[in-house]
Amino acid sequence: MRDLIEAARQARLRAHAPYSNFLVGAAMRDEKGRIHAGCNIENASYPQGWCAEPSAISALVMAGGRRITEVAVMGNGDALCTPCGGCRQKIREFAAPDVKIHCCAETGELIRSFTLDELLPFSFGPENLA
């Protein structure tokens, strides 16, 4: 887990957040054990920015990954920073309900871990379309 948290910490340092100054980093482990990271990227046209989690998912998919097996997320300071609702659903596309999401302080200290099911109960996923 420490390697995943460190990847999220490094990604957070690359965030482009000139408007909110709220830097977020995320890292995801894929089914092959590889780590893929992403950061939030703000845009002057606010709805056009994107969160750290979809950035990491994009890196995972581009590297050939198809499953998320573990996630780390961190924002500013010591406040709990969980994925937003939209990001929870994006993670759900690639992760099982029991996947752990580790929420960390910007120092890398673990604040709390959740399962995806705890953050997104009774979720709608790919199997609902089968």
Side-chain angles (χ1 to χ4, degrees):
M1 173 175 48
R2 295 302 323 159
D3 57 346
L4 193 67
I5 292 171
E6 179 58 22
R9 192 181 74 75
Q10 290 297 321
R12 183 186 167 280
L13 297 175
R14 295 179 180 258
H16 176 76
Y19 308 106
S20 72
N21 292 314
F22 190 75
L23 310 178
V24 181
M28 300 178 181
R29 194 179 313 277
D30 70 15
E31 71 275 14
K32 295 178 183 174
R34 300 173 298 179
I35 295 174
H36 311 278
C39 61
N40 62 318
I41 303 170
E42 293 180 349
N43 188 290
S45 177
Y46 293 134
Q48 299 305 315
W50 56 91
C51 299
E53 296 87 345
S55 295
I57 291 169
S58 179
L60 181 143
V61 169
M62 287 300 297
R66 292 293 173 254
R67 300 296 304 156
I68 296 170
T69 63
E70 190 177 18
V71 178
V73 178
M74 67 178 57
N76 288 359
D78 295 332
L80 182 66
C81 179
T82 62
C84 72
C87 288
R88 293 173 192 196
Q89 185 63 46
K90 288 174 178 77
I91 292 167
R92 175 63 177 90
E93 184 71 17
F94 298 93
D98 63 346
V99 163
K100 293 280 189 187
I101 299 173
H102 309 293
C103 302
C104 306
E106 72 177 79
T107 61
E109 179 184 348
L110 179 65
I111 297 172
R112 183 168 173 191
S113 294
F114 300 90
T115 64
L116 179 57
D117 198 45
E118 288 174 308
L119 292 177
L120 191 65
F122 307 105
S123 66
F124 186 90
E127 67 281 357
N128 293 103
L129 299 174

